[in-house]
Amino acid sequence: MFELLYSPFQMLHYLVQAILQAIAPFLGPICFVMAWLLTILVGWSIWGAIAATVVRAKEMHQIPCAYCQFFTNDYRLKCPVRPTIALTEEAIGCPDYRFHQ
């Protein structure tokens, strides 16, 4: 009685093929722009990571504990005066810091 000329998969195949033929002239420029955008985003994220690392390193170099006369250089008790903040960012500006000559 009612026969399908094409199966649904064949119709989908023809539809996808027609869409691809319609956008084929634009695929080159689209891929070119997308490749450059991806390159720029990767470079931007690498630059951001480097900048964040430099900022973190500058913060860590402000910690004066290694040059303090109370610093023991022992992992069990780094500082007998303020052991909870020794070698942390809280030690920046420590009131008990004494330069060790």
Side-chain angles (χ1 to χ4, degrees):
M1 192 160 144
F2 179 70
E3 290 184 29
L4 290 175
L5 295 176
Y6 298 107
S7 73
F9 294 112
Q10 287 175 329
M11 290 175 53
L12 181 64
H13 173 74
Y14 290 131
L15 178 65
V16 169
Q17 193 174 21
I19 291 172
L20 286 176
Q21 286 177 353
I23 64 170
F26 305 106
L27 285 179
I30 289 172
C31 290
F32 177 78
V33 169
M34 295 301 281
W36 274 107
L37 284 175
L38 181 64
T39 303
I40 289 169
L41 286 175
V42 167
W44 191 3
S45 82
I46 289 172
W47 180 259
I50 291 171
T53 302
V54 168
V55 167
R56 181 77 175 152
K58 285 182 180 179
E59 287 176 2
M60 297 305 286
H61 283 319
Q62 290 179 354
I63 298 173
C65 294
Y67 306 109
C68 182
Q69 72 179 8
F70 301 118
F71 185 67
T72 62
N73 205 17
D74 184 4
Y75 72 94
R76 292 171 290 192
L77 182 64
K78 298 171 192 126
C79 177
V81 179
R82 295 187 184 262
T84 58
I85 68 167
L87 295 176
T88 65
E89 293 166 0
E90 295 176 41
I92 297 172
C94 178
D96 297 315
Y97 173 74
R98 302 288 182 271
F99 182 72
H100 179 36
Q101 296 178 353

